[in-house]
Amino acid sequence: MPVAVRRGPEAVRGPVDGPGAAPTGRRFPNPRLTGLGGGLFCVAAMLLLGGLDALLFGSSLIAYGVLFVPVCVLTALWVRAGDVLTAPVALPIAFGAGLFPVADGSAGFLGSLMGVFTGLATQAGWLYGGTLVAGVIVLVRRVRWVRSRRRRP
């Protein structure tokens, strides 16, 4: 299999079979969200996962907490390098917003709000753990970004 040598933006695509051929291998999505886009992504994802948790698992707070961690990782990885420090800020907001479908709201709005506060108190471990994982990813990405910018003349 011949390997075409490319320079510039196309160099990341790797080996190709010939001119005009598609790159080989599977590529994972690599979106780059702004700070606001990352916040909207994690809030929307947690609202969706909270609704699915309420439908499928009967409002299990443990399942909700487990589903929160991958959203934290994806948000920390998908926010663009310049806005990467905003990712851990939006995650607790998303956790609280996604608790509304999961919270026990048998007594109207105030009962639902009390269920959200109870969920925040009882599931703080998942909230802190997911935010910590995202914070570590963000710090590593930020250090790498700063070092790469310093190497450029």
Side-chain angles (χ1 to χ4, degrees):
M1 171 168 102
V3 176
V5 179
R6 295 183 180 183
R7 290 182 174 75
E10 298 181 68
V12 294
R13 293 192 182 159
V16 293
D17 289 333
T24 58
R26 283 188 75 175
R27 296 193 56 149
F28 290 104
N30 194 16
R32 288 294 168 219
L33 303 172
T34 63
L36 179 61
L40 290 174
F41 163 73
C42 62
V43 168
M46 290 314 298
L47 281 170
L48 177 71
L49 290 175
L52 286 174
D53 179 27
L55 289 174
L56 299 176
F57 302 117
S59 298
S60 169
L61 290 174
I62 300 296
Y64 179 76
V66 170
L67 292 171
F68 176 65
V69 176
V71 171
C72 292
V73 171
L74 289 177
T75 303
L77 290 174
W78 285 352
V79 172
R80 65 184 182 178
D83 295 333
V84 76
L85 295 178
T86 61
V89 175
L91 294 171
I93 297 167
F95 188 86
L99 276 175
F100 275 99
V102 179
D104 181 29
S106 58
F109 176 73
L110 291 178
S112 179
L113 195 61
M114 195 63 154
V116 168
F117 289 140
T118 302
L120 285 170
T122 59
Q123 302 304 313
W126 290 110
L127 174 61
Y128 294 149
T131 307
L132 179 67
V133 167
V136 168
I137 292 170
V138 160
L139 287 176
V140 168
R141 285 189 62 207
R142 182 67 178 192
V143 166
R144 290 179 63 199
W145 182 71
V146 167
R147 285 185 181 168
S148 71
R149 292 198 40 114
R150 283 186 182 171
R151 288 184 194 147
R152 294 182 192 162

